[in-house]
Amino acid sequence: MLSPLQGIRVLGLEQYMSAPYCTMLLADAGAEVIKIERPGSGDPRRSIPPFARGEGGAQKAGGFMAYNRNKKSLALNLRSPEGRDVFRELAAQSDVVVENLRPGASAKLGFDYEDIKELNPRLVYAAISGFGRMPGFSGPYSDRPAFDIVAEAMSGMMNLVGFEDKPPAWTIYGLADVYSGMCTAYGIMLALFMREKTGAGQFVDSAMLDNMLALNERMVALYSVTGHSPQRGRLRHLFPRGAFRCSDGYLALNVPDDTVWKRLCTAMGRDDLIADARSASGTARAEHANELQPIIEIWLQDKTRAQAGDLLNASGVPAGPVYSAEDVFADAHVAARKMLQPVQDPEVGEYRFARSPVLLSAVHQHEAAPAPALGEHTRDILGDVLGYPMERIAALEQQQVVQSVAA
């Protein structure tokens, strides 16, 4: 069965999370992704715990395994002139380059978009950075490096996470990286679709700060409309929203309007709260949250998360249990959706990772190939893609321009 990106070749000048996650999405869709790695050490995430361990002492970093399935590894020394020549030859025969190097690094290597498009005008060149690199859109932070938490903080998102009497808190590790990877994959697809019409590639600029600010659009809209800056803690215009204790854990509940509030009251057997002045509107409920929360929790205290969730959902009140990782892995619906994709690694065995989230009716879900060993595909890429004879490949290995598993 045809895959959406079958026949598309992607070069990943990538490390850590954002660009590897982007190219993983492309690889899952059938693209040939060639991951460019430094000989000797490779992507830094190869050495970041936790590690999956196999028989005989083999180990692989879990984060690297999760974000690098279905890819090929080319260990290439880009600090050498010969290594840079190899990269240019590959770029001339590729459709997409994705990079998340430190700002300025690709230009120093001679690999920025202006350099590469001269070799391949059809190339789509996507750059992920903290603050953006598009000419005409540069700002005072454009040359700064950034990790995910910086983008969370400067987008205003971190200021909204946590409790009003506690310091700001981050959301989940790597959220800005993963979301930026998704946004960049979307931008690449737009550019490839446009190339079908124009025949020309283009530069795709993906800034982590931009991506997180767009994700935090509710803050932007509220401030634009009201002039008030939302703060962390309880919302001022609606209640209930949050996690409420059941007999075996917590249930997530959100009541965005009076209609859903009426349904909740009826489900709890408390129709008297529908017209009560303290709870008749979202603003009133927010003002009297300290009185209403115990009422909800008393009703929930003798019910499991599953019992309460079933009852509320049947009443038209969306609710769901607050899951741990163990709960997710045991959930029947997650299993039915095949969200946890098994990946069989020849060195450390089988593990499950989250699949790409979007399903297409005409695309079969293929078995995932494991994350590659460092330089696992070096010889194949140089021989099959660039047509190098084995003697030349051996010479590049001897000069430490490339590294191969078999070398």
Side-chain angles (χ1 to χ4, degrees):
M1 183 177 291
L2 185 67
S3 296
L5 295 182
Q6 186 173 323
I8 296 295
R9 178 175 293 136
V10 179
L11 300 184
L13 275 174
E14 56 183 36
Q15 58 185 349
Y16 293 108
M17 293 176 68
S18 59
Y21 190 83
C22 171
T23 59
M24 181 202 74
L25 295 175
L26 303 179
D28 284 354
E32 177 192 19
V33 174
I34 298 174
K35 182 180 181 71
I36 309 296
E37 299 191 75
R38 180 179 299 176
S41 57
D43 186 326
R45 280 191 71 81
R46 286 186 180 272
S47 61
I48 298 176
F51 296 100
R53 302 185 187 278
E55 297 179 2
Q59 67 175 32
K60 278 191 176 180
F64 182 84
M65 293 170 67
Y67 295 163
N68 290 282
R69 61 179 179 251
N70 294 324
K71 300 182 186 179
K72 299 177 180 179
S73 172
L74 168 61
L76 181 64
N77 181 6
L78 294 176
R79 295 181 178 179
S80 69
E82 296 85 356
R84 293 193 290 273
D85 287 342
V86 170
F87 180 83
R88 291 188 185 95
E89 288 187 55
L90 283 171
Q93 299 188 43
S94 297
D95 299 280
V96 179
V97 168
V98 181
E99 62 104 327
N100 67 329
L101 305 180
R102 181 172 177 146
S106 59
K108 289 179 181 178
L109 292 169
F111 297 154
D112 65 9
Y113 175 61
E114 295 302 318
D115 295 316
I116 298 298
K117 76 174 183 180
E118 297 300 320
L119 301 172
N120 183 358
R122 289 177 53 82
L123 187 76
V124 172
Y125 188 110
I128 305 175
S129 61
F131 302 99
R133 289 169 43 184
M134 181 73 76
F137 291 84
S138 61
Y141 313 138
S142 294
D143 293 332
R144 290 184 182 179
F147 281 126
D148 66 303
I149 197 170
V150 175
E152 277 201 21
M154 297 182 68
S155 68
M157 183 173 291
M158 196 169 171
N159 187 54
L160 300 177
V161 179
F163 299 94
E164 54 191 342
D165 60 342
K166 299 289 193 301
W170 44 277
T171 55
I172 60 172
Y173 185 86
L175 173 64
D177 289 310
V178 170
Y179 187 64
S180 291
M182 286 186 167
C183 290
T184 308
Y186 168 68
I188 290 168
M189 297 306 297
L190 293 179
L192 288 173
F193 186 70
M194 192 169 177
R195 190 179 74 173
E196 292 299 304
K197 301 178 179 181
T198 67
Q202 61 182 295
F203 181 64
V204 177
D205 181 30
S206 180
M208 293 171 69
L209 177 58
D210 295 357
N211 297 330
M212 293 307 287
L213 188 54
L215 186 61
N216 197 17
E217 55 81 25
R218 180 179 175 277
M219 178 201 74
V220 174
L222 286 176
Y223 187 77
S224 180
V225 171
T226 69
H228 296 130
S229 181
Q231 299 299 314
R232 62 187 170 277
R234 283 182 174 162
L235 299 172
R236 301 297 189 263
H237 66 285
L238 66 83
F239 182 86
R241 176 182 170 86
F244 295 82
R245 186 184 292 277
C246 296
S247 64
D248 64 342
Y250 288 89
L251 186 78
L253 182 63
N254 177 46
V255 175
D257 56 37
D258 297 339
T259 298
V260 178
W261 173 247
K262 292 176 183 178
R263 295 172 185 168
L264 175 61
C265 292
T266 300
M268 294 192 300
R270 292 298 305 268
D271 285 348
D272 58 296
L273 295 174
I274 296 174
D276 191 308
R278 296 169 300 175
S279 56
S281 69
T283 302
R285 290 191 292 273
E287 291 175 355
H288 296 278
N290 290 335
E291 301 168 54
L292 295 173
Q293 181 148 346
I295 294 174
I296 299 171
E297 291 185 334
I298 289 171
W299 179 73
L300 289 169
Q301 67 183 1
D302 64 346
K303 300 174 181 64
T304 66
R305 295 174 298 173
Q307 290 170 339
D310 288 346
L311 194 158
L312 290 173
N313 280 292
S315 300
V317 181
V322 177
Y323 272 174
S324 66
E326 184 179 3
D327 293 327
V328 169
F329 271 67
D331 187 84
H333 185 82
V334 173
R337 294 287 295 172
K338 298 180 173 62
M339 261 306 300
L340 300 179
Q341 186 174 24
V343 178
Q344 183 69 39
D345 188 279
E347 296 181 285
V348 296
E350 182 177 291
Y351 290 85
R352 286 187 286 168
F353 301 100
R355 65 163 169 79
S356 293
V358 178
L359 297 174
L360 300 179
S361 64
V363 178
H364 176 70
Q365 187 177 359
H366 299 285
E367 182 178 339
L374 178 61
E376 180 178 344
H377 303 93
T378 296
R379 290 183 174 180
D380 291 340
I381 293 166
L382 297 182
D384 296 343
V385 178
L386 298 184
Y388 288 6
M390 190 60 217
E391 295 78 9
R392 183 176 179 184
I393 297 173
L396 292 173
E397 292 171 346
Q398 184 67 31
Q399 298 164 15
Q400 299 184 333
V401 174
V402 300
Q403 177 185 341
S404 302
V405 168

